[in-house]
Amino acid sequence: MGIYLNPGKDKFQSIRKKKYIDKSALISCVNANLDTEDRLFLVSRPRRFGKSYAAAMLCAYYGKGNRAKNLFKDLEIGKSPDFEKHLGKYDVIYVDMTSLREEMEERLNVLREETLRSGKDQVPQTDFISFLQERISAEISEAYGPEVVGELFRDTLLNMVRHNRGRKIFWIMDEWDLFFREDEEDESLHTRYLSMLRGLFKTSDGYTEKVFAGAYLTGIIPMKKVKGHSAVSSFQEYTMLDPGMTT
């Protein structure tokens, strides 16, 4: 169990211990679209609308080895005839962008302290996109062996699926739009970030179909509203004005 690769059910288990409003019908909607052209979801809502709770729920449901049946059997999804079809069947990659950013800042602080102690003039820089890919790749290497890690991040994910005899990935990214909200002036970061997403979720070259059973991104900004940048057009977007089947 890692932080980014198959992080488990603990977060949703904690949520269920509180007063919980059943939103598990969302799982049926996602299940109906797995391995179809509509497998990629982007849900944009204002803060405090339960986006992170939904992401944690999907992580608990889809992650292999979670043994989460008891967490869901008394919920709406438990009544579905397909309840167990996808339960615990995928490698989940779960990226909480805020937590990832905090982790990178901690690393930079350590590097700054090491630089001061060594008497060097320049602090080594950590690129956020590279940091994200390195952290996930490190956990994949630990779980499935260093030979799975490829030269490119997308190669690593494809190698992992092949290594696991075709078991696909369910990708979850909470607060996908963090860069656009908190680093508004960093055009280079925006461009490289969207380029990474397009590289993973570009269905026209067949890569997405081979690697991902589905993906679920949450944020405040719809991808199509990102100014000055080409959006990742493969996602089905659900907003407050057009909630679609996620209501």
Side-chain angles (χ1 to χ4, degrees), residues 112 170 201 215 222 239 242:
R112 291 186 187 104
F170 193 91
F201 303 114
T239 67
D242 184 16

Side-chain angles (χ1 to χ4, degrees), residues 176 180 184 187 190-191 194 221-231:
W176 85 273
F180 297 99
E184 294 183 30
E187 294 290 329
H190 300 169
T191 300
L194 282 176
I221 305 172
M223 198 170 286
K224 292 173 184 175
K225 298 296 183 182
V226 176
K227 295 181 179 179
H229 297 275
S230 176

Side-chain angles (χ1 to χ4, degrees), residues 116-143:
L116 288 172
R117 286 197 298 267
S118 66
K120 295 179 181 178
D121 296 328
Q122 192 170 3
V123 179
Q125 296 299 307
T126 300
D127 173 81
F128 196 102
I129 308 302
S130 298
F131 184 73
L132 183 158
Q133 296 175 348
E134 287 168 5
R135 290 295 290 113
I136 297 171
S137 296
E139 291 194 4
I140 291 173
S141 176
E142 184 177 353

Side-chain angles (χ1 to χ4, degrees), residues 99-111:
S99 296
L100 183 70
R101 189 188 190 100
E102 291 172 353
E103 185 181 354
M104 191 185 80
E105 288 298 328
E106 289 177 6
R107 177 185 283 191
L108 286 173
N109 287 335
V110 171
L111 291 174

Side-chain angles (χ1 to χ4, degrees), residues 19-246:
K19 187 175 181 180
Y20 177 68
I21 298 174
D22 188 353
K23 299 290 185 180
S24 66
L26 169 65
I27 297 172
S28 293
C29 297
V30 177
N31 281 347
N33 289 279
L34 292 175
D35 280 321
T36 74
E37 292 182 354
D38 298 327
R39 75 188 71 200
L40 307 177
F41 293 78
L42 192 154
V43 177
S44 56
R45 297 281 193 278
R47 295 185 186 278
R48 315 305 301 174
F49 267 78
K51 299 187 299 296
S52 296
Y53 278 21
M57 175 183 70
L58 295 176
C59 180
Y61 177 81
Y62 288 115
K64 84 175 183 62
N66 282 350
R67 297 181 180 179
K69 183 176 179 179
N70 288 340
L71 273 178
F72 293 96
K73 66 181 182 180
D74 62 326
L75 300 179
E76 187 66 27
I77 183 61
K79 303 173 185 176
S80 169
D82 293 332
F83 170 47
E84 296 188 52
K85 181 178 179 180
H86 300 287
L87 179 68
K89 297 295 171 58
Y90 303 98
D91 278 302
V92 166
I93 292 178
Y94 184 10
V95 183
D96 179 333
M97 293 292 282
T98 299
S99 296
L100 183 70
R101 189 188 190 100
E102 291 172 353
E103 185 181 354
M104 191 185 80
E105 288 298 328
E106 289 177 6
R107 177 185 283 191
L108 286 173
N109 287 335
V110 171
L111 291 174
R112 291 186 187 104
E113 292 176 4
E114 291 177 349
T115 300
L116 288 172
R117 286 197 298 267
S118 66
K120 295 179 181 178
D121 296 328
Q122 192 170 3
V123 179
Q125 296 299 307
T126 300
D127 173 81
F128 196 102
I129 308 302
S130 298
F131 184 73
L132 183 158
Q133 296 175 348
E134 287 168 5
R135 290 295 290 113
I136 297 171
S137 296
E139 291 194 4
I140 291 173
S141 176
E142 184 177 353
Y144 299 119
E147 67 277 4
V148 174
V149 179
E151 184 175 347
L152 300 176
F153 182 60
R154 72 198 310 263
D155 294 338
T156 298
L157 300 183
L158 180 58
N159 291 344
M160 182 174 75
V161 172
R162 288 171 172 166
H163 176 84
N164 292 323
R165 299 180 180 181
R167 183 175 66 234
K168 294 183 182 180
I169 297 166
F170 193 91
W171 178 283
I172 302 171
M173 181 173 272
D174 197 12
E175 295 197 71
W176 85 273
D177 55 347
L178 181 71
F179 296 143
F180 297 99
R181 294 186 280 107
E182 297 191 6
D183 302 280
E184 294 183 30
E185 305 303 320
D186 196 338
E187 294 290 329
S188 174
L189 177 60
H190 300 169
T191 300
R192 288 182 289 115
Y193 178 51
L194 282 176
S195 178
M196 184 197 78
L197 292 180
R198 280 195 295 271
L200 298 179
F201 303 114
K202 182 180 178 181
T203 56
S204 60
D205 67 356
Y207 177 85
T208 302
E209 288 81 357
K210 292 184 181 74
V211 173
F212 298 102
Y216 189 88
L217 276 60
T218 76
I220 296 173
I221 305 172
M223 198 170 286
K224 292 173 184 175
K225 298 296 183 182
V226 176
K227 295 181 179 179
H229 297 275
S230 176
V232 184
S233 58
S234 304
F235 279 88
Q236 304 297 313
E237 297 194 25
Y238 302 95
T239 67
M240 290 289 288
L241 297 178
D242 184 16
M245 61 184 175
T246 61

